[in-house]
Amino acid sequence: MEWRRDGYCISTDPERMDRDAIHAFLRDTYWAAGIPREIADRSIDHSLAFGLYDEASSQVGFARVISDRATFAYVADVYVLPAHRGRGLAKWLMEVIRSHPDLQGLRRWVLLTRDAHALYQKVGFRGVEDAGRYMEIVDRGVYARP
């Protein structure tokens, strides 16, 4: 699927994804620091991935959704390159994700963010209603091990 606006395109075509660019960005983020290329590729392969493209040049953003496409969705790895920020592209990307036909009628959407709460609130996300219900296993050193 594709969406177009103001010289930009969002596409879910896996063949169009610039995996080198995605990996180069993700490996330097706070949430996926050091992620190996093969893990980044596998995460894209097993998600509904959205590439954001400047129609005049190349891939300028990305996001993916991990979902059973029936009840639950987890939004991950959302970014827009710094040179393209301030144009409403991240909000548009999130609006496209929330409106994707395969992701309608879900009971729960979740994501994690350190600093983009205002963006996600614009598309309906709120703080966790009952944080005491959530549990997790976090292995921050997983990408550093062979």
Side-chain angles (χ1 to χ4, degrees), residues 6-124:
D6 300 329
Y8 287 91
C9 174
I10 296 173
S11 174
T12 58
D13 180 356
E15 297 301 314
R16 191 167 179 190
M17 303 286 162
D18 183 343
R19 291 176 180 234
D20 289 335
I22 295 166
H23 176 249
F25 188 90
L26 291 178
R27 72 175 178 226
D28 293 330
T29 63
Y30 73 86
W31 67 85
I35 189 170
R37 169 64 190 262
E38 53 277 3
I39 299 297
D41 283 342
R42 193 167 11 143
S43 74
I44 295 166
D45 291 339
H46 296 283
S47 301
L48 177 55
F50 295 78
L52 172 63
Y53 305 91
D54 176 340
E55 293 188 38
S57 63
S58 58
Q59 186 156 359
V60 300
F62 177 76
R64 65 189 182 92
V65 178
I66 305 150
S67 179
D68 60 8
R69 300 182 190 205
T71 65
F72 179 83
Y74 174 77
V75 180
D77 297 336
V78 180
Y79 73 85
V80 174
L81 294 178
H84 296 270
R85 293 179 187 163
R87 299 175 184 161
L89 295 172
K91 182 180 179 224
W92 179 46
L93 180 57
M94 290 303 302
E95 289 169 346
V96 165
I97 289 169
R98 292 275 290 136
S99 68
H100 190 283
D102 289 352
L103 302 173
Q104 299 309 296
L106 302 181
R107 183 178 66 238
R108 186 175 312 267
W109 288 77
V110 297
L111 58 79
L112 298 170
T113 185
R114 181 172 71 186
D115 54 9
H117 297 79
L119 163 67
Y120 298 116
Q121 287 170 346
K122 291 177 184 175
V123 294

